[in-house]
């Protein structure tokens, strides 16, 4: 399923693209979730709502902030959503490499080109599946890079996913999430599952997480031995990688 957004300062252009996409998406679960009339609003919203859009159709020629400027800000925010530029000209095609654009569409886009783009987008997302965590709650469906996740903690029947930018609450079980994720996610407590890449310090009965608050999370007695071994390896590996990088620069 693709969650699609359209950004174009011309209402008629947004309507035309939406109608074309809706015809193609009749028999799929894909949906157009948002429309934006300018680059600044689009950039601000996507930055504040990571993981809520998979594919953005972005007009290049807009007013104060054109599509290329908006795309650069989106990438600087850390968003890895798929970008497709929509333009009346071909002059900007090579500029798209700067922001890792998936494709370019020249207005008016044909149905065949749109089908091709949607297929490429689905293939790209499928290839990324192991690097992403997908959750669903009352607000919608989110696809978040695992590398952005600091930790999970359970609260009765709910799970809280914590990133440096935002927290997400959804229904689930911690042990099931643990089975889905890569080995760098470590169970430190009955209620906590942490990303070992985000641990900066291992104390006697706690770990410190790499966020502005230098948050401390408890390590339970039953998990202590396994946590110490796994995190020690992870911390040493990170140190060695940093040392190697320093030597290369020198």
């Amino acid at each position: 399923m693709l969650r699609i957004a359209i950004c174009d300062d011309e209402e008629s252009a947004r309507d035309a693209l939406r109608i074309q996409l809706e015809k193609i998406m009749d028999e799929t679960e894909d949906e157009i979730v948002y429309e934006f009339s300018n680059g600044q609003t689009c950039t601000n919203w996507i930055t504040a709502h990571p993981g809520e859009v998979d594919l953005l159709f972005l007009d290049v020629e807009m007013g104060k902030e054109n599509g290329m400027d908006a795309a650069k800000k989106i990438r600087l925010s850390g968003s890895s959503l798929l970008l497709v530029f929509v333009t009346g000209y071909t002059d900007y095609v090579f500029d798209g490499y700067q922001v890792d654009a998936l494709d370019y569409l020249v207005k008016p886009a044909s149905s065949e080109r749109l089908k091709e783009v949607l297929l490429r987008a689905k293939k790209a997302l499928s290839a990324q599946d192991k690097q992403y965590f997908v959750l669903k709650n009352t607000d919608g469906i989110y696809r978040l890079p695992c590398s952005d996740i600091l930790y999970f903690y359970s609260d009765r029947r709910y799970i809280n996913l914590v990133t440096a930018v935002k927290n997400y609450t959804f229904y689930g079980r911690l042990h099931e999430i643990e089975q889905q994720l890569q080995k760098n996610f470590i169970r430190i407590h009955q209620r906590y599952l942490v990303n070992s890449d985000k641990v900066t310090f291992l104390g006697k009965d706690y770990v410190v997480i790499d966020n502005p608050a230098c948050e401390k999370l408890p390590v339970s007695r039953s998990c202590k031995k396994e946590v110490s071994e796994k995190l020690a390896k992870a911390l040493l590996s990170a140190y060695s990688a940093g040392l190697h990088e320093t030597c290369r620069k020198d």
Side-chain angles (χ1 to χ4, degrees), residues 17-109:
L17 180 56
R18 187 187 67 253
I19 291 168
Q20 281 184 290
L21 286 169
E22 286 174 345
K23 288 179 180 177
I24 297 170
M25 298 187 305
D26 265 351
E27 298 178 0
T28 71
E29 293 182 349
D30 304 336
E31 61 176 329
I32 298 169
V33 289
Y34 296 105
E35 291 185 28
F36 303 99
S37 59
N38 63 77
Q40 185 174 359
T41 301
C42 176
T43 302
N44 291 344
W45 191 92
I46 286 174
T47 300
H49 298 82
E52 292 193 35
V53 170
D54 299 315
L55 174 62
L56 172 63
F57 287 93
L58 185 58
D59 183 33
V60 176
E61 302 88 23
M62 291 189 286
K64 294 181 180 179
E65 185 169 274
N66 65 37
M68 192 59 63
D69 292 335
K72 289 176 181 177
K73 289 183 179 180
I74 287 169
R75 289 296 185 237
L76 284 173
S77 75
S79 175
S80 56
L81 60 73
L82 300 173
L83 286 170
V84 173
F85 285 111
V86 184
T87 176
Y89 309 94
T90 57
D91 302 0
Y92 299 94
V93 171
F94 292 106
D95 293 338
Y97 291 112
Q98 300 175 37
V99 291
D100 194 25
L102 177 73
D103 211 332
Y104 263 87
L105 293 175
V106 178
K107 298 178 181 179

Side-chain angles (χ1 to χ4, degrees), residues 68-202:
M68 192 59 63
D69 292 335
K72 289 176 181 177
K73 289 183 179 180
I74 287 169
R75 289 296 185 237
L76 284 173
S77 75
S79 175
S80 56
L81 60 73
L82 300 173
L83 286 170
V84 173
F85 285 111
V86 184
T87 176
Y89 309 94
T90 57
D91 302 0
Y92 299 94
V93 171
F94 292 106
D95 293 338
Y97 291 112
Q98 300 175 37
V99 291
D100 194 25
L102 177 73
D103 211 332
Y104 263 87
L105 293 175
V106 178
K107 298 178 181 179
S110 68
S111 295
E112 289 304 312
R113 279 290 288 131
L114 283 173
K115 288 179 183 178
E116 181 186 327
V117 166
L118 294 182
L119 182 61
R120 287 188 63 198
K122 288 180 180 179
K123 286 183 177 179
L125 289 175
S126 178
Q128 296 173 352
D129 275 350
K130 290 185 179 180
Q131 303 168 25
Y132 285 75
F133 182 80
V134 179
L135 68 93
K136 182 177 181 179
N137 61 19
T138 54
D139 295 325
I141 300 173
Y142 299 84
R143 179 188 249 102
L144 303 168
C146 290
S147 58
D148 287 352
I149 300 171
L150 299 177
Y151 62 91
F152 297 85
Y153 73 91
S154 63
D155 183 8
R156 298 179 184 177
R157 302 193 327 178
Y158 291 92
I159 301 294
N160 294 277
L161 184 158
V162 180
T163 73
V165 177
K166 187 176 178 180
N167 295 356
Y168 304 82
T169 301
F170 60 101
Y171 178 80
R173 297 182 178 182
L174 206 56
H175 76 273
E176 292 176 354
I177 294 169
E178 185 179 6
Q179 292 171 1
Q180 294 175 36
L181 295 168
Q182 298 170 352
K183 293 181 180 179
N184 57 311
F185 281 84
I186 300 172
R187 190 72 169 265
I188 64 168
H189 188 280
Q190 184 179 358
R191 295 178 57 196
Y192 289 89
L193 179 66
V194 303
N195 184 347
S196 62
D197 295 337
K198 303 299 183 181
V199 175
T200 59
F201 181 77
L202 172 60

